Amino acid sequence: MLEPKSDEAARGERLPWVTAALAALLLAGFVGARGWVGLTGDSTPVELDSAFELWLNHPYLALDPQLLAELKRRPDGDSYAERMARARAEAGSAPEAARAESQAELDLVTALALRGTDAAPGPNHPFRRLGWVPASPQLFALGTYWTLHAGSAHLLGVLLLLWLAGPALERAFGRGGFAALCLLGVLAAALAYLVSSGGARAPLVGAAGIAAALAGACGVRNGRDTVRIAGLGVGVPGWAAPALWVAVSGLFHFALAGDAVALGESLVPSLASLAAGAGFAAAARSLRLEERRAARRAEARAAAQLDPRTRRAQAALDRGSHDQAISLATELLRERPDDAGALAVVWSAHQASGRETQGLPAAKRLLEIYARHGALAPAARVWDELVRAAPEARAETTVLLRIVPELVVQARREAAIAALRCVVTPDGRAPLSVGQAVRAAELAAELDTASALAAARVALASTELADEKRERLAKLVQEFERKLETAPPAEPPPPPEPVRVELALDDNQRTVVYTPPPENTGPSAVKVTLAVPLELDPDGVRMRVDGAEPSLLTWERIQAVGVGLVSGLGAKPVVVIDLALNWADCRGGALEVLRLRSDSFRARALIGGDGSALEALRALLAQLLARSGAVPLPDAGAARGLPFREFPDPSCYERDVLLHAG
């Protein structure tokens, strides 16, 4: 197998079941086809005309209608019908024994003629029935043509590359991703052959599309790496895989391909699948698919290895017993200060109880541990939560520079900018090294011009900066300065519009004066109507309001969404979701809200997926805010449950979230 050095640590982590199943399927298809046409498939071909001539010598025998139909499709098909009519008019009789023997011979010759060989397949050959024929494409053939191979050499070439590249790519992309890569290779080869063949009747067979896609993906993924062939100890560059496959495809094409059948080694389908595989690997790299899978596997392994005390602390957190969860986790941290699971419980418990400030030390330590072990995805999430809770939070420069790209990938732009500003802002920490300053300037170039300029100036002030980088950074500094100079100043908010008031004077004259609007223009009361969501519709939320018949609340009508974890509504705290319908128009009157309670519906039934109930509820809130464009109350984080803000009773929630915010 081809094993990049970067994959050696993951070897044996997961068995390549998809690769093994694919190889078994190819072998089964080959054996099945061999049972249909014979072991070699290369017996002496029998022409259709030979079977017809045999019948002409014995016109009293029964002729297979399929043979006659195939002959009539030829340009001179009418001549066969005339010859049949004359032969039957002149036909005599034959003894019964001789007739039976001649009929058996004719049936055998006809069957051989209709079957044909691998090189010249007839209408009954599996290549014709199950192969991809551009002249008459069948949808089912997309699932069968690649299981057929013209001989063992044709099959072994595909199996060899599948064995070499399959396991490493399956570990890299996951079973689903690897299966999608193989399917992409199959479809790309079929589509390319359909477009380039001009409606040919020669069927395309073979899994060369899969092999070419694997070669292309291997070349892009491992192009800069040294690939070792397992068992041989030979190292080759990763880009050699697609080059080798192109050479092999060309050899098969010119040596074996003919007019009657395309072996799947035709250059156009192979090159199309090669490009499709390369594109798949490039997309996976840009989306950081491997890093995300590695992070998920690391989290899963960590969860499986949790200390029993951490499990008890997590269970207490899930029950809402925040103080108990903190106590259990803290007890474990006295023994093992770097236990990520216990630190995560402490931080989550402080968030859920609204005491984020007390949990900041645990969050900072958790951030460092995640970054140290390469778990950048959870590290980025912790930093985002940290700066939401404490905008003045600080962390190690190395840690922040590592997680900024992951923050960008996760669309946490504000957290990424906060990390960069923390890096370049002097606060008594050790000054930036040249490498750190250059890295910060590069990362901040598209995110925060001021941070990029500050980092670039630090790098330029050092005498250790190489000339090439100095020249490039000097140009960037000029560009950043122009951006800051030309950026329009922030416009102050417009003053509130005055209210026009007409006053009556004693002499029956009227005059006009202007007074500012009253300071308190928000709602003075809340009118609550209970509702139960039933379905998320493209146009809105289908719900049952106050026990009535289901109705649709359009997204446009939702002007604000208030969220809070409220006690006093049941045996346990309940997440309240208030959909405000007159937020923009309420001036001193009653705010009309439709209230959804988390104990009256299942968020997972609306969102789908197999995540936890808490994850489903957060996903539902994200959907409500994204689709409606409503104002999040009390703030963007709490309205998404990151974390939920707790309230001792409904009146405190309404006062602090709905009335105070207004």
Side-chain angles (χ1 to χ4, degrees):
M1 292 180 289
L2 296 179
E3 291 184 344
K5 290 183 178 180
S6 57
D7 289 358
E8 290 179 356
R11 183 183 177 186
E13 184 177 316
R14 297 184 68 189
L15 295 177
W17 291 113
V18 177
T19 301
L22 184 59
L25 189 59
L26 295 179
L27 287 170
F30 178 76
V31 172
R34 294 309 94 195
W36 193 342
V37 300
L39 184 60
T40 64
D42 294 326
S43 57
T44 303
V46 177
E47 300 292 339
L48 296 177
D49 285 329
S50 299
F52 185 72
E53 291 294 338
L54 179 60
W55 179 84
L56 289 178
N57 295 331
H58 307 280
Y60 48 82
L61 300 177
L63 182 64
D64 191 323
Q66 186 181 3
L67 176 64
L68 180 59
E70 290 295 326
L71 291 172
K72 286 184 177 181
R73 290 195 181 98
R74 296 181 173 182
D76 57 345
D78 294 338
S79 63
Y80 290 98
E82 297 174 359
R83 294 170 65 186
M84 283 186 62
R86 289 197 303 270
R88 283 176 173 168
E90 300 171 358
S93 59
E96 189 65 28
R99 182 168 183 162
E101 183 178 351
S102 298
Q103 184 67 52
E105 180 184 3
L106 176 63
D107 292 343
L108 176 60
V109 172
T110 300
L112 292 175
L114 291 174
R115 187 187 68 187
T117 63
D118 286 354
N124 286 350
H125 195 283
F127 288 0
R128 293 283 182 191
R129 288 181 174 270
L130 304 177
W132 178 251
V133 183
S136 55
Q138 301 291 330
L139 189 59
F140 71 86
L142 293 175
T144 57
Y145 87 85
W146 50 274
T147 64
L148 307 172
H149 292 85
S152 56
H154 189 205
L155 173 65
L156 289 177
V158 174
L159 290 178
L160 177 62
L161 189 58
L162 183 62
W163 174 74
L164 288 173
L169 293 177
E170 184 174 345
R171 283 196 301 268
F173 301 143
R175 290 168 182 161
F178 181 73
L181 173 62
C182 295
L183 178 61
L184 183 64
V186 168
L187 297 178
L191 179 60
Y193 186 58
L194 179 67
V195 173
S196 65
S197 64
R201 296 190 60 80
L204 174 69
V205 298
I210 295 178
L214 298 185
C218 185
V220 170
R221 177 178 180 264
N222 307 319
R224 301 177 182 177
D225 202 352
T226 299
V227 180
R228 184 173 59 85
I229 301 179
L232 299 181
V234 179
V236 296
W239 54 262
L244 178 62
W245 182 252
V246 170
V248 172
S249 297
L251 176 64
F252 271 88
H253 173 69
F254 292 110
L256 300 178
D259 296 333
V261 59
L263 298 180
E265 309 293 349
S266 178
L267 290 180
V268 173
S270 290
L271 291 176
S273 295
L274 190 78
F280 182 92
R285 173 183 294 175
S286 65
L287 295 174
R288 300 168 62 91
L289 178 63
E290 290 191 52
E291 290 85 346
R292 291 172 179 274
R293 293 193 66 256
R296 288 197 297 269
R297 289 198 301 269
E299 290 182 357
R301 286 195 299 269
Q305 299 171 0
L306 282 180
D307 188 287
R309 290 170 291 182
T310 306
R311 293 197 184 96
R312 290 197 295 271
Q314 184 64 51
L317 176 62
D318 294 338
R319 293 195 305 269
S321 303
H322 304 139
D323 291 337
Q324 183 183 6
I326 294 172
S327 176
L328 292 171
T330 303
E331 180 181 352
L332 175 59
L333 288 172
R334 293 192 185 100
E335 179 183 334
R336 295 162 55 183
D338 290 346
D339 189 291
L343 288 169
V345 169
V346 171
W347 173 232
S348 299
H350 279 110
Q351 283 183 291
S353 60
R355 295 173 289 176
E356 292 91 343
T357 304
Q358 300 178 28
L360 292 181
K364 292 179 181 179
R365 188 59 182 158
L366 182 62
L367 172 66
E368 295 173 0
I369 292 173
Y370 277 150
R372 183 198 309 162
H373 291 86
L376 299 184
R381 186 183 68 247
V382 171
W383 171 254
D384 185 40
E385 296 169 349
L386 187 60
V387 294
R388 287 175 183 273
E392 71 284 355
R394 295 291 183 265
E396 290 294 330
T397 298
T398 304
V399 171
L400 295 176
L401 291 178
R402 291 191 67 187
I403 66 173
V404 166
E406 181 64 30
L407 288 166
V408 174
V409 170
Q410 295 183 14
R412 303 179 190 267
R413 182 182 177 87
E414 296 301 324
I417 294 174
L420 291 168
R421 291 178 177 175
C422 177
V423 166
V424 301
T425 301
D427 57 355
R429 296 176 302 170
L432 292 177
S433 67
V434 176
Q436 290 174 339
V438 172
R439 179 62 173 161
E442 293 172 345
L443 292 174
E446 300 297 331
L447 292 171
D448 186 40
T449 303
S451 298
L453 180 59
R457 285 173 174 168
V458 170
L460 290 173
S462 173
T463 58
E464 301 176 4
L465 186 63
D467 292 339
E468 295 180 1
K469 290 187 177 180
R470 182 178 297 277
E471 182 179 354
R472 182 165 58 86
L473 279 180
K475 294 180 179 179
L476 287 177
V477 165
Q478 295 177 0
E479 181 181 342
F480 295 152
E481 289 176 343
R482 285 196 301 269
K483 284 184 179 180
L484 292 177
E485 290 174 359
T486 58
E491 296 183 0
E497 294 183 1
V499 177
R500 180 185 177 95
V501 180
E502 294 187 354
L503 299 178
L505 303 181
D506 292 340
D507 55 0
N508 294 325
Q509 296 181 354
R510 304 182 68 83
T511 187
V512 177
V513 298
Y514 294 88
T515 60
E519 294 182 0
N520 182 18
T521 58
S524 59
V526 180
K527 178 182 178 182
V528 176
T529 304
L530 295 180
V532 178
L534 304 176
E535 181 185 4
L536 295 185
D537 192 87
D539 298 325
V541 186
R542 192 167 299 279
M543 59 176 58
R544 189 185 305 277
V545 180
D546 202 18
E549 292 296 320
S551 58
L552 181 68
L553 176 67
T554 60
W555 298 117
E556 293 79 7
R557 293 193 59 195
I558 305 175
Q559 298 181 1
V561 176
V563 180
L565 183 62
V566 183
S567 301
L569 294 175
K572 298 190 299 183
V574 175
V575 176
V576 171
I577 306 172
D578 283 339
L579 309 180
L581 307 183
N582 61 337
W583 177 257
D585 307 321
C586 185
R587 295 292 183 269
L591 179 66
E592 297 182 3
V593 300
L594 295 178
R595 175 161 295 175
L596 316 180
R597 291 177 41 161
S598 62
D599 58 351
S600 65
F601 68 94
R602 294 180 60 197
R604 193 181 303 166
L606 301 173
I607 297 298
D610 54 0
S612 65
L614 179 59
E615 291 172 346
L617 188 59
R618 286 172 172 165
L620 173 62
L621 291 171
Q623 289 273 5
L624 291 174
L625 291 168
R627 295 194 185 188
S628 65
V631 176
L633 302 176
D635 55 64
R640 290 172 172 82
L642 301 171
F644 292 107
R645 188 172 297 180
E646 296 187 27
F647 300 90
D649 54 63
S651 60
C652 289
Y653 159 75
E654 293 175 2
R655 182 190 66 234
D656 295 343
V657 174
L658 301 179
L659 300 180
H660 175 74

